[in-house]
């Protein structure tokens, strides 16, 4: 019996902002487009930001690639602590889990991308190693960029308020 396709990639970093501010950056379309460099446009398709059932549609533009539309559906929330979204786009479907832990120095942000197919197709089984490598490398780059964007934005915000 073929094994399921099961791959995760995880990154974390410290963002110099309260968890509430990081939460809004992750859940509000206008904040995503303002903060994340890959996101050129974002809008709500259904539901309320930060609540289960919210569907956020964003256009992502990677250097040297055509812009793509990605749909993030919120499936689990613990406000200011945990956000789970199903991400669907041209690179497939996977789960994005973000955990926030407020500390005296800001908010520790832990992000995990996870793809799971219980019954992968013949092609997916044949390409398992390639898919796992691509997903891990792509996820690593995207997660590093996301955390770096959050850190950059809130560092700039601190400098602006400190003047």
């Amino acid at each position: 019996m073929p094994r399921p396709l099961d791959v995760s990639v995880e990154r974390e970093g410290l963002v110099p902002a309260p968890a509430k501010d990081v939460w809004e950056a992750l859940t509000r379309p206008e904040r995503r487009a303002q903060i994340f460099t890959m996101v050129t446009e974002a809008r709500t398709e259904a539901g309320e930001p930060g609540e289960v059932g919210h569907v956020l549609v964003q256009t992502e533009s990677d250097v040297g690639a055509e812009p793509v539309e990605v749909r993030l559906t919120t499936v689990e929330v613990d406000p200011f602590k945990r956000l789970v979204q199903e991400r669907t786009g041209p690179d497939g479907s996977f789960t994005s889990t973000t955990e926030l832990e407020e500390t005296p120095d800001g908010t520790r942000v832990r992000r995990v991308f996870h793809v799971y197919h219980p019954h992968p197709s013949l092609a997916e089984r044949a390409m398992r190693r390639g898919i796992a490598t691509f997903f891990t490398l792509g996820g690593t780059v995207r997660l590093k960029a996301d955390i770096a964007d959050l850190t950059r934005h809130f560092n700039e915000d601190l400098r602006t308020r400190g003047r």
Side-chain angles (χ1 to χ4, degrees):
M1 181 164 174
R3 295 182 332 231
L5 182 62
D6 190 3
V7 182
S8 292
V9 62
E10 171 185 336
R11 289 291 175 263
E12 71 175 54
L14 184 65
V15 176
K20 178 184 180 293
D21 293 349
V22 176
W23 180 264
E24 286 191 3
L26 295 168
T27 60
R28 299 212 166 272
E30 65 279 4
R31 299 290 284 155
R32 288 187 78 87
Q34 176 188 20
I35 294 170
F36 295 99
T37 54
M38 286 182 66
V39 179
T40 58
E41 184 181 330
R43 69 185 181 337
T44 292
E45 184 175 88
E48 292 296 319
E51 295 182 6
V52 171
H54 179 243
V55 179
L56 185 144
V57 178
Q58 65 186 26
T59 303
E60 293 182 356
S61 184
D62 206 355
V63 177
E66 291 294 316
V68 297
E69 191 172 273
V70 174
R71 183 171 266 93
L72 298 169
T73 303
T74 301
V75 295
E76 182 184 328
V77 297
D78 183 356
F80 317 122
K81 294 180 183 173
R82 182 176 166 86
L83 175 68
V84 181
Q85 297 171 307
E86 292 297 324
R87 183 184 191 284
T88 305
D91 53 354
S93 296
F94 55 89
T95 302
S96 170
T97 301
T98 305
E99 294 175 343
L100 307 176
E101 177 189 354
E102 202 158 318
T103 73
D105 298 323
T107 301
R108 180 150 311 281
V109 178
R110 180 176 168 266
R111 301 203 70 206
V112 179
F113 287 167
H114 181 236
V115 63
Y116 179 80
H117 292 291
H119 306 289
S121 70
L122 287 173
E124 288 168 329
R125 287 195 301 258
M127 296 179 61
R128 183 180 307 271
R129 183 172 295 162
I131 289 170
T133 301
F134 176 79
F135 180 79
T136 301
L137 292 175
T140 299
V141 169
R142 184 174 286 131
L143 288 176
K144 281 183 179 178
D146 284 359
I147 292 172
D149 286 344
L150 285 165
T151 302
R152 177 193 42 77
H153 172 79
F154 287 109
N155 273 330
E156 287 174 6
D157 194 43
L158 281 174
R159 280 193 294 275
T160 302
R161 282 188 281 148
R163 290 183 184 180

